[in-house]
Structure formats: structure tokens, C-alpha cells
Amino acid sequence: MQPASFLKTLNDNGITFFTGVPDSLLKELCKCVTATVPSTHHVIAANEGAAVALATGYHLGTGKYGCVYLQNSGLGNIVNPLTSIADAEVYGVPMLLIIGWRGEPGVKDEPQHVKQGRVTPAMLDALEVPYVVIEQSTDAEAVIKQAVAMMKEKSQPVALLVRKDAFETFEGKGEALPVGGPLSREEAIEIVAEAISEDSVIVATTGFTSRELYEYRVRKGQAEPKDFLTVGGMGHTASIAMGIAIAQPNRQVVCLDGDGSVLMHMGAMPVIGKAAPKNLVHIVLNNGVHDSVGAQPTAGFSVDLQAVAKASGYTLVFGSDGREGILAAVRQASETDGPAFIELRIKHGARKDLGRPKSTPLENKNNLMKQIGTA
Ligand SMILES: Cc1ncc(C[n+]2csc(CCOP(=O)(O)OP(=O)(O)O)c2C)c(N)n1
């Protein structure tokens, strides 16, 4: 399916408002929407639940219908607003959900997608959301027409569950992306990893950050690092780090967060500020985009993250985009009581040959617990 003609068919069927969180599997469609739909009609949301709420508000404000796009890993985030707001038994808000089906049974995928992929149809059934599976050869016009008619008739959300490789490459020009700083994420990760003490724990966020940290350890021959790779559960990295920091107050815990990730569940920041674990260093690698799934913009460059951190109660707040600044911030954060917050403005982009962890999540967890004496 061609993203541009798919989008036109949606428009022809009265779907002109788009919101969601980008997905690698929907990358080409997301690129097309980002490049061609005016910003009044396209909002990249902080999390998928917020996108369902935005589509609800759009319907209330216009009488028209919105489209919510997401990866199936975001299904958990939409369960509550779906069942308690948009459902036909509550407010009955029609909207079209376009869900990327990572981990579809029979299609090889990463461990964090396997279970979610297997239970996705059952979750939609349990939520009583009617859905149609679509793929490369789908007659998009017929399916969209049918889905839109059903969502109107039932007055509730209806979903399209999208198989891998369903969309062809979007041929149009993508959006020009702002550049955050001179360093790449990989360089920033390496600088931080080398600057902190050996017994510090690193909790790394979902996507390229975890993959790059993993590859850094392999490159350095560090077979038993004290790292936790948050391969799924995007947005919860800082809370995982806080949990370890509270439990091990004499050990420095460094959270390597992303801008998309920190925004997804930003409520964690004032909670960290209030609990004030002295040994927590929360670093946001801010590249202004969801780099790992196709570089769609976040609010990372429009929000003042350092002001948010100060207002949340972090006791040390730094910003930097260069090696010396990172080293100075990490040094101060290590010598002074925190919680500390460091915003690192970086450029987007990753190595073409970036691999994926060869060890399993369970091996990763067991190793960390062994290294910090909890297993
Ligand atoms: C709940 C959920 N929604 C969406 C995704 C898909 N996803 C994986 S990484 C990522 C982008 C992360 O962006 P950011 O935190 O800014 O880090 P970057 O990729 O830019 O390094 C997304 C949207 C996911 N894994 N989980």
C-alpha cells in the first residue's frame, strides 16, 4: 500500500485528524502524515492514551472523526481511555485506530514484542474493538470504507491491525529536522559510561539507546555490566531507575532517558523530585525526535526540560551538548547529593549497522542482579 494514497483514502472517508505515537512498522505512513498533514490536524502525542483523548476532544469539538496510530506495544496505554471514555457504553466516540502489529506470531521479532504480538488480537477482542488485519495486498479503499462505516454505526473505535511491510516507501520529501547538538547519542552514551564509577548502575531507555549501550559493552569486552536495558515499557526508565536508587542508596544509579521516553510518562519527574533519591542521576539524551522509529518530532526541543526538572524538585540541574560539559555535569552529580538531572542536547541518527542485544532480557536482568548482589 502506498502511504500517500492510503492517507487520501482516509481523507476521502472523512478522517482528516491524526494523532498517535510513531511506530517503526508504520514508519512510512507516519512520515507521510508528518510531511503532508498540517499541524492543526496532526499531533504527535506524548503517549497513546493521550492520543485517544485528543481524538475524543477533536470529535467533541468538530463532530468529525480522528485517527489514532500506534504500535501494539502502546495498546496498554490506550486501554483505560478506550474502555472508560470512547467505548460505546460510555461516551461512544468513533475513531479509527491504526495499530502496527509487532511480534505477529510467525514473524521473527525481538523478545519484548513476542508476547504483545501474540495477545494483540485477544486484547482487541477483550476490549470489544472490532478490527481488520491489513497487509501489502489489502484493498485499502474497501477496508477503510467498511471500517469507517462500522465505527460510525457502532459509535465507537474500530481498528486496523497492520502487518509488517504493509506500507511501501513514502516517496515525498520528509520534514526537515532540527539538529540538537554536535554529539551523536552513541558518543554521549560512551562519554557518560566512561565518566561514572564502576559500581554505578545504568538504566537505559527503549530503542537505540539500549542497543547502543549494549554494543558499547561488547566493544569494550565488558561481559557483565551493571546495566538494565528497558527494551520495552517505553517511558518507564526513570521509574525503574528510581526504584533501584531507593533500594540501593549507596550506589549511584544513572538513568539514560530519551526525550520521547521522558515525555511519555513525565509524571515520574515530580515523583522523583519529591522522593529525592540522592544517588539518582537522570540524563535525558534529547534529540528532539523519536529517532528509534523513524525520527518523528517530539516536544523535546520546545519544552524546557531543565526548568521542569527544577520545578519537579531535582536538586542539581545541568544542560550540555559537548564532551567537557557532560564530564563536568557527571562529576558534579557524582560528588553532590541529588537527585540530579542532566539534559544533553544531541543530534539524531544512528549507525546503519547497529545491532540488537544477543543476550535475552532475562539474562540481562539476572546478570544485573548478580552484579549488584540481589540474586
Ligand atoms: C508504549 C510504546 N509506544 C511506542 C513504542 C515504539 N517506540 C520504541 S522506541 C520509540 C522512540 C523513543 O524516542 P526517544 O525516547 O526520544 O529516544 P530516541 O529513539 O530518539 O533515541 C518508540 C516510539 C514503544 N516501544 N512503546
Side-chain angles (χ1 to χ4, degrees):
M1 295 182 293
Q2 276 278 349
S5 56
F6 191 88
L7 179 59
K8 183 176 179 307
T9 309
L10 289 170
N11 291 164
D12 292 346
N13 281 274
I15 308 277
T16 49
F17 179 80
F18 298 84
T19 180
V21 175
D23 168 31
S24 48
L25 214 144
L26 301 175
K27 187 161 79 182
E28 300 304 325
L29 180 65
C30 290
K31 211 188 283 174
C32 176
V33 171
T34 306
T36 60
V37 178
S39 59
T40 48
H41 285 71
H42 179 215
V43 179
I44 299 177
N47 67 59
E48 294 82 354
V52 168
L54 272 159
T56 300
Y58 178 75
H59 176 67
L60 296 176
T62 60
K64 298 180 191 167
Y65 310 101
C67 165
V68 174
Y69 58 81
L70 62 144
Q71 180 175 102
N72 56 341
S73 55
L75 260 181
N77 285 339
I78 69 172
V79 168
N80 177 241
L82 266 191
T83 52
S84 301
I85 299 174
D87 192 82
E89 289 176 36
V90 192
Y91 288 110
V93 183
M95 63 184 73
L96 188 66
L97 308 174
I98 299 187
I99 306 172
W101 195 359
R102 293 291 305 257
E104 181 187 354
V107 180
K108 196 172 178 315
D109 211 330
E110 295 303 298
Q112 66 273 21
H113 293 295
V114 174
K115 169 91 177 234
Q116 180 63 64
R118 191 169 66 242
V119 303
T120 290
M123 277 181 78
L124 292 171
D125 286 338
L127 293 166
E128 297 169 353
V129 171
Y131 66 92
V132 186
V133 176
I134 65 169
E135 58 192 2
Q136 240 167 26
S137 59
T138 295
D139 177 352
E141 282 191 24
V143 167
I144 289 171
K145 199 168 164 215
Q146 184 198 357
V148 169
M150 192 190 293
M151 106 197 164
K152 288 184 191 168
E153 183 204 311
K154 291 184 176 269
S155 198
Q156 69 153 76
V158 166
L160 304 180
L161 186 54
V162 185
R163 288 202 158 120
K164 193 171 177 214
D165 297 329
F167 287 105
E168 287 170 35
T169 307
F170 170 60
E171 300 296 353
K173 215 169 150 271
E175 228 198 9
L177 298 172
V179 177
L183 295 173
S184 68
R185 180 183 43 243
E186 196 163 28
E187 287 164 336
I189 291 171
E190 180 157 350
I191 293 168
V192 172
E194 289 185 355
I196 59 177
S197 74
E198 244 191 45
D199 49 283
S200 299
V201 165
I202 297 186
V203 183
T205 189
T206 315
F208 289 156
T209 299
S210 278
R211 289 164 61 182
E212 288 172 349
L213 178 63
Y214 177 86
E215 291 220 336
Y216 164 79
R217 298 300 187 196
V218 173
R219 251 193 338 270
K220 294 281 161 181
Q222 298 167 355
E224 297 186 324
K226 298 179 186 67
D227 297 340
F228 184 83
L229 309 179
T230 315
V231 291
M234 178 179 162
H236 293 304
T237 315
S239 297
I240 296 171
M242 174 181 164
I244 302 174
I246 290 171
Q248 300 225 347
N250 296 322
R251 187 191 297 279
Q252 185 175 58
V253 180
V254 178
C255 171
L256 286 180
D257 218 340
D259 46 304
S261 165
V262 76
L263 288 161
M264 183 167 267
H265 295 299
M266 209 168 198
M269 287 183 67
V271 173
I272 289 170
K274 183 163 186 289
K278 293 183 172 55
N279 51 331
L280 182 66
V281 184
H282 187 178
I283 299 177
V284 176
L285 300 163
N286 188 0
N287 53 18
V289 292
H290 292 100
D291 205 16
S292 306
V293 290
Q296 305 83 354
T298 66
F301 287 171
S302 54
V303 59
D304 185 343
L305 286 174
Q306 294 169 52
V308 174
K310 279 183 199 139
S312 296
Y314 287 68
T315 51
L316 301 165
V317 177
F318 308 93
S320 176
D321 64 3
R323 186 186 173 80
E324 293 315 313
I326 298 177
L327 290 175
V330 171
R331 197 178 319 115
Q332 269 215 57
S334 306
E335 288 167 358
T336 322
D337 282 352
F341 183 86
I342 309 176
E343 180 190 13
L344 302 181
R345 289 278 180 126
I346 55 166
K347 61 184 176 193
H348 56 83
R351 256 187 302 124
K352 289 272 171 294
D353 61 349
L354 179 65
R356 293 178 181 276
K358 302 238 179 334
S359 52
T360 65
L362 207 55
E363 285 166 346
N364 170 222
K365 182 197 84 171
N366 290 341
N367 170 63
L368 171 66
M369 293 182 73
K370 192 177 100 194
Q371 300 305 321
I372 63 172
T374 53

